Amino acid sequence: MGVIKLNNIKVFSYHGCLDEESKIGSDYRVDLKVHGDLSHSAKTDKLSDTIDYVHLNKIVKEEMAIRSKLLETVAERILKRIMDELIMVQKAKVDVSKINPPIGGNVAMVTVSRTKSR
């Protein structure tokens, strides 16, 4: 088993329950960790034999572009697409963080973590 991590994917999006969040948007950070058998690709040195992190990044960016009220919903969509589109992935964990959330305090970020396995 091997692990591929995409750390600190930065996106600007419009998630949240407040009306102003849908208009002004926010900065987000997404961290992704996927597990799969990387032993074959380590020998063949072929992109077609591994979990393509470019594809993972594309999924994150596309799903983050779809407005949702809850970060949980966005995280679930990301995980579903990863499991549907990348058959080599056995387990995936995603952290979706809203930077400087509008919660009336000095909070750097709020994060929702979700995990899905085959």
Side-chain angles (χ1 to χ4, degrees), residues 7-23:
N7 295 317
N8 200 17
I9 303 167
K10 296 176 182 177
V11 276
F12 187 86
S13 197
Y14 298 88
H15 306 301
C17 294
L18 303 175
D19 286 338
E20 63 261 18
E21 291 175 298
S22 69
K23 295 174 185 157

Side-chain angles (χ1 to χ4, degrees), residues 23-71:
K23 295 174 185 157
I24 62 171
S26 267
D27 289 314
Y28 291 83
R29 171 185 171 159
V30 178
D31 296 290
L32 184 62
K33 182 177 180 181
V34 299
H35 298 257
D37 184 357
L38 305 178
S39 59
H40 184 64
S41 60
K43 293 174 188 168
T44 67
D45 197 31
K46 292 182 181 177
L47 179 60
S48 60
D49 291 335
T50 194
I51 300 165
D52 185 356
Y53 55 79
V54 172
H55 191 160
L56 291 168
N57 188 57
K58 179 178 181 270
I59 289 170
V60 168
K61 289 187 172 188
E62 288 175 357
E63 293 305 322
M64 287 297 292
I66 301 168
R67 177 167 161 56
S68 293
K69 291 181 181 176
L70 301 178
L71 298 180

Side-chain angles (χ1 to χ4, degrees), residues 63-85:
E63 293 305 322
M64 287 297 292
I66 301 168
R67 177 167 161 56
S68 293
K69 291 181 181 176
L70 301 178
L71 298 180
E72 293 91 321
T73 305
V74 181
E76 183 63 25
R77 282 198 321 260
I78 291 168
L79 291 174
K80 182 177 181 336
R81 279 201 51 202
I82 288 168
M83 295 310 225
D84 287 350
E85 296 178 22

